Amino acid sequence: MPRDHLLSLRPWASPEITSWRRLPMNAVDRRSGALCLDGSWHFRLLPSPDSSPGEWTVTDVPGAWTMDGADDPPQYTNVRMPFGDFPPESPTANPTGVYERSVDIPAEWAGRRIVLQVGAVESVLLVQVNGTPAGLSKDSHLAAEFDLTDLVRPGEQATVRLTVVKWSDASHIEDQDQWWQAGLTRSVLLYATDPLHLADVTVRARQDGRLRVDCTVRDTTGPLPEGWYVTAALDGQLLAQDTEFDRRNAQDMRVSDFLGEARLRTVVPDVRTWTAETPELYGLVVRLHRADGSVADASHHRVGFRDVAIVGRDLLVNGERIFVRGVNRHDFHPLTGRTVTAEDMRADLVLLKRFGFNAVRTSHYPNDPALYDLADELGLYVVDEANIESHDHAHEIADDPRYLPAFVDRVSRMVLRDKNHPSVIIWSLGNESDYGANHDAAAGWVRRHDPTRPIQYEGAAKLDWADPALASDIACPMYAPIEDCVAHALSGRQTKPLIQCEYSHAMGNSNGTLADTWAAIESTPGLQGGFIWEFWDHGILQRVNDGRPAGRGGAGLYDSGVTAPGHRWAYGGDFGEAVHDGAFIADGVVFPDRTPKPVMYEHREIAGPVRLTYDDGVLRIHNRQHFRGLRWLAAEWRLVQADGTARSAPAALPDVLPGGSAEVPLPFPLPEPAAGEVWLTLRVTTADDEAWAPLGTEVCVPQVLLSPAVAGAPPRPASGPAVTLDEDALLVHPLLTSAPVLSLWRAPTDNDELGGMAARWHDWGLDAPARTVRKVVDVREEGSRVVVLSEYATGAGPVRHEQVFTPVTGGVRVEERAELPAGLDDVARVGTVFETVPGLDVLDWYGQGPWESYPDRSAGAFVGHHSLPVDELFTPYLRPQESGGRHGVRRFTLSAPDATGLAVELGAPAQVSVNRYRAQDLAAAAHHDELVPRPGCVVHLDAAHRGLGTASCGPDTSAGYLVAPGTHRWEWTLRVL
């Protein structure tokens, strides 16, 4: 048969061409005994399906040719399609990969049904076996199975050819916000069954212990044989047969002798229920027997007993209203793209559990099957999302009848594959595809097939959060301001749970107001949480010398967010693509190597199972869980005083019911008020090994203030050398290479850039070096003090700045005042910046830490005495920007190894950052390999610092975190150690 026989149908261009010989999706476990075809395959990449064959090379399966240094690199777009053709058309220049290998068909498979399973392919799969067409598939994120029984001979070799066409009509409904890839991205398996086999198994396990197992049976050789039957055992105990159902089934057999059904039921006494907090699983084995009792087929499942329901405006799991502390997650790896291993996925979910997440939305397609097994085991709720996103042509496609079969096919196949997982609590019809008849058709199929779970779809819900007639049982908006959510919940119109499918966009230095958002959610009935966008920064490890992905050979080259020399994290545009959306792909709560960003610690405290309150002298411990007590936790008290005194003691956690609290005695006597502020911290850890955390893993660190600071007398002026100023009336100090000047600007964050603030700051001239816009107005001496009045020119009028220098013992006190005109209504910061001599490489500070924090993202940083090398303070967001700040700093020292250096005492808690880069250095760089560290330290002391917000995609920070015009005052004291 000619090579192009299969291709001549042009299935990549015709929505009418359906799955051909592809088998129906099912939930039968076929992994046991399968022959894995992963490994080396012959491969050639053609510029289009109709191109002449090229030379064979070798490639690894699974994998994407776009990640292996081929001439077709990955490309990132968010909304735009990477080509201009309108649906259902696709471009003529259409990269096509041809994979081929020989397979030894086991002789013992003689007389059996033989099936090829291709785990995932992007985008169109065409299968040939021994030169004969075997079928095609277009759904790039679900497995496609093909019956090869009549195409191969057991005991002989077979040639399997898998042709992958990159672009098709289906590409228009796979327009997700991610890298465009191409290849065989999941495992390829070959397995055999008896002709009499389980065609599907449906498990329904209820919270009250009721279990029902429905089985569909087929025989590929003809009518079902007489006498077959099905048995099942749960943890070794046999289930009862539903005899009434079997009698009805026998009558049905007279209508169709090729399809059989069986139902088994039982009630489990004292059932252990499944929740994300208590992921209890039972082992279920379903066996299909021939008349003589021998086993023809079997399927293994892990069963979790739980109920999901919507009652009024509440989503309930096992009758309890839960908070959904979720994250959106793609299948992604910085070396292999969409190809991920079970070990990769376990590491993802373990990390999420350790940082307080309890839910995952599989954005925006069904994830690798192993993820659902792991979610069942570790305990995570899953919103399972269909592989449908038509972002660039959403309105046209939603009602296009040519795409109707694809919508129903993709949604139904997802449900059929994943329906037996207790972790899946909600079905999603897809993402950002407008709303039309195609969605209603898919929703109707789901409601009929699986009435045990609700459906959500943001495209429908956004039309009216309260309309019960729309195809979404949940109001699931994207990036809705929390004020709007609260107003809706209080309006009296709410009819559905409000759970945002995306909120708090994690692009760069972001996720401001997360704690405020959750304070509103927890205090407002009708609000139940949402899913942060997203888990990963999708940076691809790139070789800088040739601009190609590092590929599988890059393993071990990256660590802790910083790549090895000669490599960097690539984002949109870094592979030479003309159409791309830049760093918008770098919007996760972890770096590409899974290193947590600082926001993870913020989320961990917000979601922590234990909280502390201290009111009117009463200390209380609160259990913030839905289903679990506190016995699985251990804890330690720590008392910290401003003077550096610290005490520790074991903590005996009370046995508090979920949602309850208990008063506990103070573990230490309160120090005298003269000792300054006093903080009590409870370090909570796992008391035993958990599936996601070994014994001793830190779970949360709640903290309360027991005694506030007592205002002390300011430092006395000292006799001795007066303050020295240079000819520009700037402070001269032996440890400073650049004198303290006013700072109103920061290297724009991604939120600043995309939210429009960076452009305003540039128009105002705030990014100009201070010396170029500063004019000295007056210098005068007042006793031992020197007063310097300056003006800084801006596009909105001059900023008047006063510095008062007073010598004190061992140093100088600096009192500052800045008057911002009304036109400067939203600046980045108001404070001081200076630079130090080299060699001061360790920062010790008293304030919030140890990780980065900002005014609207500081709940996860506890007050204490912290110490870090200066080079570890900086956070390497993929696009360099403002980072590394510490909020609420009271004092700090910068020291050399011999303990010399400088000390700074703040008159009030301030935002402080110390790193090796000026703000201009960061703003000028697109990647970290372009940055050159300065030998000394760049130090910012901010009396006011703008919140981070999430304006790159979502609400900006709250008004209370903006830096307003008017008069700002701050003071600090600089001493030599």
Side-chain angles (χ1 to χ4, degrees), residues 181-196:
Q181 303 278 10
L184 298 170
T185 54
R186 293 181 191 157
S187 291
V188 180
L189 304 176
L190 194 68
Y191 68 85
T193 73
D194 194 281
L196 178 66

Side-chain angles (χ1 to χ4, degrees), residues 475-482 485 498-503 517 529-531:
C476 49
M478 290 182 177
Y479 310 108
I482 190 62
C485 298
L498 198 157
I499 303 169
Q500 295 208 56
C501 68
E502 295 178 21
Y503 81 108
T517 296
F531 295 82

Side-chain angles (χ1 to χ4, degrees), residues 83 100 249 276 374 388 427 518 573 585 646 651 786 855 878:
F83 52 82
E100 186 172 289
N249 181 63
L374 290 164
I388 300 172
W427 301 117
W518 270 97
I585 193 69
V786 179
L878 263 64

